[in-house]
Amino acid sequence: PEEPVLLAELKPGRPQRYDWKSSCETWSVAFSPDGAWFAWSQGHCVVKLIPWPLEEAELTCKTAERKGRGSKGEARSRAAAKEKTLECGQIVWGLAFSAWPAAEETDPACAVALPCLILATGLNDGQIKVWEVQTGHLLFSLLGHQDVVRDLSFAPNGSLILVSASRDKTLRVWDLSRDGRQVQVLSGHVQWVYCCSISPDCSMLCSAAGEKSALLWSMRSYTLIRRLEGHQSSVVSCDFSPDAALLVTASYDACVIMWDPYTGEQLRTLRHVPLHSAVDYSSEVHTSSLRSVCFSPEGLYLATVADDRLLRIWALELRSPVAFAPMTNGLCCMYFPHGGFIATGTRDGHVQFWTAPRVLSSLKHLCRKALRTFLTTYQVLALPIPRKLKEFLTYRTF
């Protein structure tokens, strides 16, 4: 694949304040599931909601041409969408989108009987504020956490179940369909919880804290399934593959481990080695500390952001990166849900958009993905099929 190309870089519109409470870092970025909106926690207690694609003026000609090929219906819907600023009143750490089901006429949140979009924001004081995207109205303030809400994850099935991860060492489960009621508190971590990710089939939840192990929970019983032990330092990021058959965890030990979440088996380790071997990194122990890892939408690539100022793209079947891009002080990364782009947030409050490898999935991978969407590893192993086929379906071979 070609090296990622920087398409656009957005910078906060207000000057940086030196009051520590303003916090200029972009700790979180998010695309809406339909790809129509981008949320950017640009620091200064503000979230920017930006219709996607960006305006032609903000992107290079190549992207502007791609945008220009959209349908007239797309153009009309974009014309109606306006950029919004959400004043959250607190430093924003976590962001998560979800669709809100078709509203009834009595629902003030969405006046029309169409699905609308909501955005949850995790704040410095432990609050979670949930906003309606089209209007910018505040729908809920969820109270319960005693410290920073570091990450948020909605159940992908549209059930309006929201999981929050906090520095108070707990995860909390909220049901927005029941007026934001707190359903469960998950305790088990002994350090700040950095990240939470719900599997695409909504059966599992992975959480990463400042510990050497990640925790895997059942989303049905809200009980601990297992500890995933293998890292040598704090685990800070995790993500499930689109078919829920794989789980990746990223750590300050400069490694990404790929797991089978059903068996707890380590499938492979991706090591972040210095790009230039001549450079002596021995004096900078944390130079390659990882910040974020995410799967591409088709499930064949990973993106990682590390403190060595590189965005890396990895192909699942290889143990070394297939592409690099230089970026300064990266904190988070996320793929566009339809592929082709990666958004990264930086410590100085900027957000950058990069090209990502566009891949046509093989028929083999499409079949594996379709099967693994509803079959667990144990169910695959019980099938009366050849061993090599089982190994392929369980990602033991590629």
Side-chain angles (χ1 to χ4, degrees):
E2 296 177 7
E3 300 298 321
V5 175
L6 182 63
L7 293 172
E9 182 169 8
L10 306 182
K11 303 176 182 180
R14 59 182 74 182
Q16 180 173 336
R17 286 164 46 194
Y18 290 96
D19 169 12
W20 67 271
K21 291 180 180 176
S22 71
S23 180
C24 65
E25 294 92 350
T26 295
W27 288 109
S28 190
V29 294
F31 286 103
S32 61
D34 62 359
W37 288 90
F38 176 75
W40 163 30
S41 72
Q42 64 165 48
H44 310 289
C45 310
V46 167
V47 172
K48 268 275 166 56
L49 280 167
I50 303 169
W52 186 270
L54 301 179
E55 294 298 322
E56 280 94 337
E58 294 171 315
L59 289 182
T60 61
C61 297
K62 183 163 53 171
T63 312
E65 287 168 13
R66 189 180 293 127
K67 178 188 173 184
R69 288 198 291 269
S71 68
K72 291 179 182 176
E74 284 176 330
R76 278 197 299 271
S77 66
R78 286 190 199 111
K82 301 290 184 189
E83 182 179 300
K84 295 175 181 64
T85 300
L86 305 179
E87 297 277 356
C88 296
Q90 291 279 327
I91 298 166
V92 182
W93 292 82
L95 297 172
F97 279 102
S98 180
W100 187 276
E104 298 172 12
E105 290 180 16
T106 55
D107 187 351
C110 308
V112 292
L114 290 169
C116 64
L117 196 63
I118 57 174
L119 176 72
T121 55
L123 306 182
N124 201 65
D125 63 355
Q127 272 194 87
I128 301 163
K129 289 186 176 179
V130 183
W131 312 78
E132 203 274 295
V133 170
Q134 286 292 345
T135 62
H137 290 154
L138 180 64
L139 299 178
F140 299 102
S141 288
L142 308 178
L143 305 176
H145 281 298
Q146 306 301 308
D147 207 335
V148 171
V149 177
R150 186 65 186 83
D151 196 25
L152 295 163
S153 183
F154 273 106
N157 61 4
S159 63
L160 296 178
I161 294 293
L162 173 68
V163 175
S164 54
S166 170
R167 283 188 184 174
D168 67 11
K169 304 174 187 175
T170 70
L171 298 124
R172 290 172 192 251
V173 185
W174 314 83
D175 188 346
L176 300 193
S177 69
R178 295 196 286 166
D179 297 321
R181 183 181 303 177
Q182 184 174 289
V183 176
Q184 195 77 30
V185 179
L186 304 181
S187 303
H189 287 292
V190 295
Q191 299 291 339
W192 293 351
V193 191
Y194 288 112
C195 183
C196 59
S197 179
I198 301 175
S199 63
D201 63 0
C202 299
S203 67
M204 292 174 285
L205 166 72
C206 183
S207 57
E211 303 156 13
K212 294 180 183 178
S213 57
L215 300 188
L216 199 62
W217 310 81
S218 166
M219 281 296 287
R220 298 188 175 103
S221 63
Y222 298 121
T223 54
L224 183 65
I225 299 171
R226 67 170 52 87
R227 289 180 180 270
L228 299 172
E229 297 180 340
H231 284 291
Q232 303 304 308
S233 188
S234 301
V235 184
V236 294
S237 184
C238 56
D239 196 24
F240 283 93
S241 62
D243 58 6
L246 297 172
L247 171 68
V248 287
T249 54
S251 165
Y252 285 161
D253 65 9
C255 290
V256 170
I257 297 180
M258 195 184 302
W259 310 82
D260 184 320
Y262 295 100
T263 65
E265 184 182 345
Q266 290 186 39
L267 300 181
R268 63 182 47 199
T269 299
L270 308 177
R271 302 183 190 282
H272 285 62
V273 296
L275 188 55
H276 304 293
S277 56
V279 179
D280 179 18
Y281 280 84
S282 58
S283 60
E284 301 178 53
V285 178
H286 299 294
T287 297
S288 295
S289 292
L290 276 147
R291 293 286 168 182
S292 186
V293 61
C294 62
F295 265 100
S296 62
E298 82 295 317
L300 286 171
Y301 289 95
L302 293 171
T304 58
V305 170
D307 282 350
D308 62 1
R309 303 185 174 193
L310 287 172
L311 165 68
R312 288 173 172 83
I313 311 290
W314 308 74
L316 283 201
E317 70 272 17
L318 303 175
R319 292 180 190 269
S320 55
V322 294
F324 298 88
M327 60 172 298
T328 306
N329 298 327
L331 290 175
C332 57
C333 60
M334 187 180 190
Y335 268 91
F336 181 61
H338 307 310
F341 302 101
I342 297 170
T344 56
T346 71
R347 196 172 284 281
D348 51 14
H350 299 192
V351 63
Q352 298 168 323
F353 299 98
W354 306 85
T355 57
R358 287 188 175 274
V359 60
L360 193 62
S361 298
S362 67
L363 188 56
K364 283 198 321 183
H365 176 65
L366 289 172
C367 291
R368 172 172 61 187
K369 190 174 163 186
L371 283 168
R372 290 311 309 271
T373 299
F374 64 91
L375 288 180
T376 69
T377 300
Y378 296 114
Q379 288 170 326
V380 169
L381 296 176
L383 293 173
I385 56 176
R387 182 175 58 84
K388 283 192 174 181
L389 196 49
K390 290 180 183 180
E391 288 175 351
F392 175 76
L393 290 175
T394 57
Y395 289 90
R396 271 62 180 174
T397 57
F398 285 91

